[in-house]
Amino acid sequence: GAVVSQHPSWVICKSGTSVKIECRSLDFQATTMFWYRQFPKQSLMLMATSNEGSKATYEQGVEKDKFLINHASLTLSTLTVTSAHPEDSSFYICSASTSAVGEEQYFGPGTRLTVT
Amino acid sequence: QKEVEQDPGPLSVPEGAIVSLNCTYSNSAFQYFMWYRQYSRKGPELLMYTYSSGNKEDGRFTAQVDKSSKYISLFIRDSQPSDSATYLCAMRGNTPLVFGKGTRLSVIA
């Protein structure tokens, strides 16, 4: 149980385009979903927290107009990187939890974004 | 001082060794402590979850929390090559998880 999927697993896009990443909880309903970013050999940095049906809460320094998060249902959240630049290239990981503060978060496999 | 400090390693041990991984933290509001294992280019996998001082054992893994010293450990007994991964500590109070940088472990057959 507690499986989280992400799609796509790997995407290459051109600078200036937008990319959408999907995060789904497959066998449970996620009250809260979290989006993280991870650079090589670095830890996970929380970007935003989203609850179904409400606006996401972004961490300090994360541009909400650039990283659009939609939590349309209890099993689906999407992250759209708008007007992507090469410095947005990173590993994006989502996690899902049945609690508001993320007790026992279950992580997706991650999406590797490369912007050329 | 960062909220969570974790030695990034890398740590290399022979198969069968006992591995000790550690994190220190500065925020006394942290109440819940986790250890995640992350294989290369994969998402983290929850290994252990504790919320009280003391030891918690699960198979070859033991998580230890010392809240008075703000120090947590993960011990791996009889380490296997398949344990080679990055191990991340994570902790929280009533806020989202804060992660350590992760320790890269290699178990050599």
Side-chain angles (χ1 to χ4, degrees), chain B residues 22 27 46 54 58 78 83 99 102:
Chain B
N22 312 293
N27 190 341
L46 180 65
D58 184 1
D78 188 24
D83 295 328
F99 284 85

Side-chain angles (χ1 to χ4, degrees), chain B residues 4-70:
Chain B
V4 180
E5 299 274 5
Q6 183 176 10
D7 186 339
L11 180 62
S12 184
V13 301
E15 183 176 358
I18 296 174
V19 176
S20 172
L21 305 167
N22 312 293
C23 287
T24 58
Y25 62 97
S26 58
N27 190 341
S28 57
F30 288 147
Q31 298 291 324
Y32 305 95
F33 306 90
M34 297 108 193
W35 285 96
Y36 286 86
R37 177 175 61 196
Q38 185 177 23
Y39 292 111
S40 182
R41 303 195 177 204
K42 300 291 184 184
E45 170 194 7
L46 180 65
L47 281 178
M48 301 287 284
Y49 171 72
T50 61
Y51 54 85
S52 58
S53 283
N55 294 351
K56 180 177 181 180
E57 193 172 313
D58 184 1
R60 295 184 296 113
F61 299 92
T62 299
Q64 188 175 79
V65 174
D66 183 347
K67 289 187 178 180
S68 62
S69 301
K70 297 189 179 66

